[in-house]
Structures are given as structure tokens and as C-alpha cells.
Amino acid sequence: MIYYFSGTGNSQYVAEKLAEYTKDTAFFIPQVFGQMQSDITVTEGETIGVVFPVYAWAPPAVVMEFLSHVHVDKKAFAYAVCTCGDEAGKAMDELHRLFPFTSAYSITMPNNYIPMFDTDEPELEREKINVATQRLPKIASEIAAHRAVFDVHEGPEASFKTVVVNPLFSLFAMRTSKFAVDDTCIGCGECERGCAFHVIKLAGRKPVWQEGKCAMCMSCIMHCPKRAIQYGSGTKNRGRYVFPVQQKTRQVVRPDAEKSTQSAQSSTAVEFINSAEIKTFTNPGVEVRRLLSPDNSESRRVSVTEIHVKPDASQPRHVHASSEQILYALKGSATLLLSGDTEKIFAAGDVVRFADNTVHGLVNTGSDEFVYISVTCPPVN
């Protein structure tokens, strides 16, 4: 089982990708917690993971409260993954008081706590997500192998931030009274529906924040379609951020239910693939971006890749026994390597099709990078 907490989608994405890679299932902590009839026990030989965002260099209170009801056998494998804008402080030390993990990781993700900081620039957001996406398969493989790893960026003055600053944050920055809504509010109720703790209620088509278990997860502010929700005076001119991949429906399991479930998958007529879902592979001088493939799409009929070839780099002659391939040159020029010793110039704007079992390759004989798109039917790895 993987239990996660998330407000704007960073930790949800990490939890669901780890679940995908490790063939596990991710569950949203507030929903699980709300249905618990008894404590959760993780027995010998079982695996449990916890994924959460770092709030002021410590785990969110809801995560700590949930873990106080989780009992992990010494011979079980437990791991923790936190997401943070820059650094985690001693958040994992705090977590370890209640959750005896063997492995721990921190993953840098886009900033989302706008009461104190503005959001990252779009370029930095994409960079953070891309780096995180590239790290996840390695983290998943280490988890699957039950390796003992501590890969956490704590940052400078970590103990001071967690031990001193975090309690002050909890005392002064967790007040629902600082939430307000301006005249642009349309009463859509998105904030009420998205509040995991049911703190928000609509009154006269305007949201009102009740005193309760607000986690300061920023979900209400970030999901407001009109940017009508503010926290204090500092958020009005700051950006908004929600993880840019369409999120899956959160899965809920009763603690007394079976510990492994499988969601029914349905065919999707329209798919949007975000850059964070595109995997990049490299060989010397060659970078391959798998834009659409069975890894990130329901389609099993075609794959689309973007290939960057540095000067003097090459792709040796090869064949695809049962797939045809179409190449479209986007930038620069290269030399196609065909059957025998045949060669042909392939330049920006050109298109070439190779039938099944046809010899082909290329070498960049120019002085600039060569970029092309490859369409393969059916896909090959």
C-alpha cells in the first residue's frame, strides 16, 4: 500500500507513479482516515509507503496523525517520500518518530505555498517536474528491491527550520480566519468540493472557512477558476499552481478491506499527454523523447518519438521486422544509411517511409544538431 497526502497534485503524482512502477496501489490519506474503524497493521513481509508534501520543513499534521494509527512490523519494509519546493529540513526525522521507515527520499517539485512565496516561473516548474519524473523509475526500483536508502536534501540550518520555525508556522500561519474571497467569486463550489477536510462551506454562494482541520494544503486557492480566494494580503498578485497532468480519481480503501485492489481501466477517446509524462533516453550524441508510446498512452497501435542527433553522432543500420516507420525531418540535415552502401541526404522538411524489415539508419554529417520525428506502427521499444 502507498498512502499519500496532496493538495495541489505534486505528491499525488509521485505516489501514483510509484504505484504504477511497483505494481502497488495509492490511497488518499484523508479519505482512508475518515473511514478507518481500527488501526492499520503492516505485518512481516509486507510493504508500505507514505508520500507527503513538506510544510514548513515538517510533515503535515494530518500525515502524522494518520501514522499514529499505523503499526509497522520490524520485518516489514517501509519507505517515505516527501515532495518539497527546495529542501526538506528534518521532516524525515519527525516522521521517523511515528513511522519506522527503511528508506526515505525527497523530491523537488514546483513551489505552491503562495502565502509566503510566489510560484516558480513556468520554465522552472517544467524543469523540476521533468527531473522528478526521471528520478522516479530509479526510486521505484530501489523500493522494489527493498534497498535501504536515505536520499533526502535537508538543506542548511535544517534542525533550526524544523524545530523552531515549524512550530511558529503551526501557531501563526494555520488560521482559517485569514482566508477571504473577493467579488470575482462565481459561487461554483469548486473549493468546497475539493476540500479534503470539509472545512469550506458555501453560504449565500460564497465560501466560508470553518474552524477545523485545515491543513493549509492550498487546494482551494489553487483550484479556484477565478483566482478569487486569497490568504491574507500577499496572495492576490502571486501565481497559481496545480500539477499539470490530469489527475486520476482518488482511490479509497476501507482498512478492513483486502490490501490489494485493481481499478478498472476504460478506453479513452481523447488523451492529453503532458510533458511530465514524456520519457527521455540518451545514447552518446543522441537524445530520444518518447512523445507517445504504450508507456504514457492507451494506444497500442503507434508510437511517436522526437530524436535529437548531435554532429557526427549516428544511429547504425537496423531493421524493424514487423513495423513500418515514417521519419519527418524538423531541423538540420543528416545522411540516411540505406541497404548496402546506399546513402541519401535527409534535410528539414523531408519525409521518408520505411516498410517492415527495411534497412535504415542515419548519421549527422552537418555542423548543427539534427532533429526529426519518428512514427512507428506498431510500436517497438
Side-chain angles (χ1 to χ4, degrees):
M1 289 292 188
I2 301 174
Y3 297 100
Y4 73 91
F5 176 62
S6 185
T8 61
N10 286 338
S11 293
Q12 181 181 354
Y13 171 74
V14 169
E16 290 181 341
K17 293 303 289 185
L18 289 177
E20 175 186 335
Y21 289 136
T22 60
K23 295 180 172 53
D24 206 336
T25 310
F27 298 100
F28 188 49
I29 285 176
Q31 291 182 332
V32 175
F33 205 7
Q35 297 185 20
M36 285 178 62
Q37 301 297 317
S38 60
D39 286 3
I40 296 173
T41 299
V42 183
T43 60
E44 177 181 350
E46 292 187 315
T47 298
I48 180 173
V50 174
V51 181
F52 63 93
V54 170
Y55 289 172
W57 303 285
V62 62
V63 174
M64 298 296 282
E65 186 178 357
F66 171 72
L67 291 177
S68 69
H69 296 275
V70 177
H71 310 288
V72 182
D73 187 276
K74 291 181 179 180
K75 294 185 178 181
F77 179 76
Y79 66 92
V81 181
C82 68
T83 60
C84 51
D86 294 293
E87 57 196 38
K90 292 292 184 178
M92 287 301 182
D93 284 6
E94 291 293 299
L95 191 82
H96 199 263
R97 293 191 295 106
L98 292 175
F99 186 64
F101 56 77
T102 303
S103 296
Y105 303 85
S106 67
I107 297 179
T108 301
M109 295 292 274
N111 285 309
N112 59 12
Y113 189 66
I114 61 172
M116 291 183 64
F117 312 102
D118 203 349
T119 54
D120 295 325
E121 292 296 323
E123 294 80 6
L124 182 56
E125 286 184 359
R126 289 193 292 269
E127 179 182 336
K128 285 183 175 182
I129 292 172
N130 286 337
V131 171
T133 300
Q134 297 303 315
R135 285 187 64 202
L136 286 172
K138 179 176 182 293
I139 293 174
S141 67
E142 292 173 347
I143 290 170
H146 289 188
R147 287 187 57 192
V149 177
F150 190 84
D151 184 7
V152 178
H153 177 57
E154 296 182 340
E157 305 294 337
S159 295
F160 174 79
K161 291 172 179 175
T162 300
V163 176
V164 177
V165 178
N166 180 264
L168 294 174
F169 170 84
S170 300
L171 184 62
F172 296 108
M174 300 285 288
R175 298 175 180 174
T176 57
S177 60
K178 291 187 178 182
F179 282 106
V181 61
D182 60 35
D183 293 338
T184 61
C185 175
I186 58 175
C188 65
E190 182 67 24
C191 53
E192 180 184 35
R193 290 189 294 272
C195 181
F197 304 99
H198 311 292
V199 173
I200 304 173
K201 302 295 180 184
L202 289 187
R205 294 181 59 81
K206 300 292 183 182
V208 175
W209 284 259
Q210 312 293 323
E211 291 297 331
K213 292 186 177 182
C214 177
M216 293 299 294
C217 70
M218 297 291 104
S219 175
C220 57
I221 290 181
M222 299 301 187
H223 286 92
C224 177
K226 294 297 184 179
R227 296 174 54 140
I229 299 173
Q230 311 300 335
Y231 188 82
S233 59
T235 59
K236 187 172 183 63
N237 295 320
R238 289 176 180 163
R240 299 295 189 267
Y241 169 81
V242 175
F243 190 84
V245 176
Q246 183 178 5
Q247 300 297 298
K248 301 175 183 177
T249 302
R250 289 167 173 162
Q251 301 181 64
V252 186
V253 64
R254 290 178 53 186
D256 57 350
E258 290 194 18
K259 294 189 175 181
S260 178
T261 61
Q262 185 173 6
S263 299
Q265 300 291 326
S266 59
S267 178
T268 304
V270 177
E271 287 185 304
F272 175 79
I273 299 170
N274 188 272
S275 61
E277 297 178 295
I278 297 172
K279 295 183 178 180
T280 300
F281 304 89
T282 59
N283 281 322
V286 181
E287 180 180 279
V288 178
R289 301 182 68 236
R290 298 180 70 173
L291 306 180
L292 183 145
S293 72
D295 290 338
N296 62 10
S297 169
E298 290 187 9
S299 175
R300 298 297 181 267
R301 299 179 181 178
V302 64
S303 65
V304 181
T305 56
E306 176 187 306
I307 299 96
H308 296 244
V309 185
K310 298 294 184 183
D312 297 324
S314 65
Q315 294 179 304
R317 287 180 171 88
H318 61 283
V319 299
H320 301 302
S322 57
S323 295
E324 69 173 336
Q325 198 165 59
I326 299 169
L327 310 184
Y328 171 47
L330 292 176
K331 176 185 174 183
S333 65
T335 300
L336 290 174
L337 307 177
L338 306 176
S339 179
D341 294 327
T342 304
E343 297 182 352
K344 183 175 178 60
I345 297 298
F346 185 43
D350 292 343
V351 177
V352 60
R353 171 184 171 271
F354 299 105
D356 300 9
N357 212 32
T358 301
V359 174
H360 62 286
L362 62 83
V363 57
N364 184 355
T365 52
S367 58
D368 298 318
E369 182 181 65
F370 177 63
V371 182
Y372 69 98
I373 296 291
S374 170
V375 179
T376 307
C377 308
V380 294
N381 189 348

